[in-house]
Amino acid sequence: MIEKNIASIVSNRVGRKDINSLLRMYIDGERIAMLTCYDSSFAALMDRCGVDILFVGDSLGNVCQGHASTLPVTLGHMVYHTKCVSRGNSSAFLIADMPYGTYATPGSAIDHAAKLMQAGAQMVKLEGGAWLRDIVSRLVERGIPVCAHVGLTPQYVHSLGGYKVQGKTIEAAKLIKDDALVLQNAGAKLVVIEAVPKLISKEITEALSIPAIGIGAGPYCSGQVLVMHDMLGISSGRKARFVKNFMDGCQSIEAAIRSYVEEVKSNAFPNDTHCY
C-alpha cells in the first residue's frame, strides 16, 4: 500500500521536466521538441506551448549580439541569459551551452559548468568528440548532467573551414558515430547531432541508448532542435537547408511555436526538403 501511494504521488507530481522525464519520452518513442531561448518572455511562451527543452545556446552570439560566429560569447553572457530563461520557465527542461574556451580542462569545465547550473541550467552542452571523454566523466561525477554535440560543431568553424555538412565520407561518418558512443559511455545523457546526412544520423541514433536530438540531421533522431529566430523566419542572411519558417501560415508567434512542437511530435518535421 505504501509503495502504491508513493508511486501515485510521483506520477501525479507537476513540475519541471528532469532528465528522467526525457529518458521516459525516449523509451516511449515520443519525439522531443527543443528550441533555443534567450529571455524570460519567450521562455514562458515556449513552456506554455509545450516545448520540452529550452536551450540557451551560444547561438545568441549570432542572433542577439550580431556576431558572425559563436566564438565571442562569454561565460558571463551565458550565465545572464540562463538566469533570464530560468525565471520565465515553469516546466520545460533547461540546457545551457558551455561557450568557447570554457572547458579545455576538467577543472575549468567543472568551475564554469557550476556557474551555469547555479544560474538555473539542468544540463550543460559541450561541442566536440572523444577528446571530451574525461571532461564529461568528471562533470557527471560532480553531479552536472551533460549533453554532447557532434557532427557540425559551430565552435570549430575555423578548423572546419565554415559551416559545412559533416559525415559525408565513410571515415568521417564512422568518426562521428564513434565520438557519440564514447561520450555516451563517459556519461552524457543527451546528444545533439548537427548537419549530418539523414542515413548517418539514423545509424548513430540507433546505436545510442540515450536521446539524439537532430538539427539538420534528418527525421530519424529522437527529437529536433532549431534556433528560435530561424523557425520564426527572422534570421538574416542565407538560410540553412534544414531550417523551416513556421510563421508561414500562422497568425501569431504562439501559433508558430505550437505548430513546430506538433510537427516534431508527429515526425512531420523535418521532411526530405530539410535533410542532407
Side-chain angles (χ1 to χ4, degrees):
M1 180 63 70
I2 293 176
E3 289 81 359
K4 288 183 179 179
N5 288 337
I6 291 174
S8 176
I9 291 170
V10 172
S11 65
N12 291 322
R13 184 181 294 157
V14 176
R16 183 178 289 193
K17 286 184 175 69
D18 57 25
I19 188 60
N20 292 322
S21 307
L22 301 179
L23 291 175
R24 282 195 296 270
M25 293 174 66
Y26 168 69
I27 292 169
D28 293 341
E30 179 181 352
R31 303 283 174 168
I32 298 169
M34 176 172 165
L35 277 175
T36 66
C37 188
Y38 314 101
D39 65 44
S40 177
S41 296
F42 269 100
L45 176 59
M46 290 181 186
D47 188 30
R48 186 167 69 246
C49 290
V51 177
D52 299 307
I53 301 175
L54 304 184
F55 172 43
V56 187
D58 59 2
S59 50
L60 68 88
N62 305 100
V63 298
C64 297
Q65 298 176 336
H67 294 299
S69 75
T70 63
L71 303 187
V73 176
T74 67
L75 184 70
H77 297 148
M78 293 304 304
V79 167
Y80 172 80
H81 286 275
T82 299
K83 287 180 177 178
C84 292
V85 172
S86 180
R87 284 193 285 266
N89 179 38
S90 296
S91 62
F93 193 73
L94 179 53
I95 302 176
D97 248 333
M98 294 279 284
Y100 179 74
T102 60
Y103 49 97
T105 65
S108 65
I110 292 167
D111 290 344
H112 295 140
K115 290 180 170 61
L116 291 172
M117 299 295 285
Q118 290 169 337
Q122 294 165 275
M123 175 179 277
V124 297
K125 183 175 75 62
L126 289 71
E127 297 181 14
W131 74 269
L132 286 168
R133 178 194 296 109
D134 292 342
I135 292 172
V136 170
S137 178
R138 291 282 295 277
L139 287 171
V140 172
E141 286 175 353
R142 299 307 193 277
I144 301 173
V146 173
C147 174
H149 184 153
V150 299
L152 172 59
T153 44
Q155 291 180 10
Y156 291 66
V157 59
H158 295 308
S159 59
L160 294 174
Y163 301 103
K164 302 176 180 179
V165 180
Q166 303 297 303
K168 295 171 71 174
T169 66
I170 293 175
E171 294 77 11
K174 183 180 184 303
L175 180 59
I176 296 171
K177 180 180 177 181
D178 289 346
D179 284 342
L181 290 170
V182 165
L183 297 175
Q184 171 187 261
N185 293 338
K189 295 298 183 183
L190 209 66
V191 176
V192 168
I193 306 173
E194 181 169 358
V196 171
K198 64 180 182 180
L199 294 181
I200 302 303
S201 68
K202 180 177 187 290
E203 182 177 337
I204 296 170
T205 299
E206 290 175 347
L208 293 168
S209 56
I210 58 175
I213 308 298
I215 175 167
Y220 303 110
C221 296
S222 316
Q224 300 293 327
V225 61
L226 283 178
V227 171
M228 178 189 77
H229 294 66
D230 289 342
M231 63 83 59
L232 294 177
I234 55 176
S235 293
S236 59
R238 178 176 172 271
K239 303 296 187 295
R241 179 185 177 92
F242 57 78
V243 170
K244 177 177 178 179
N245 180 1
F246 282 85
M247 281 299 295
D248 286 345
C250 289
Q251 298 301 309
S252 68
I253 290 174
E254 179 169 346
I257 295 173
R258 290 187 182 278
S259 177
Y260 170 76
V261 172
E262 180 182 345
E263 290 201 17
V264 171
K265 296 288 186 182
S266 66
N267 209 28
F269 174 80
N271 59 34
D272 282 345
T273 62
H274 309 113
C275 298
Y276 300 108

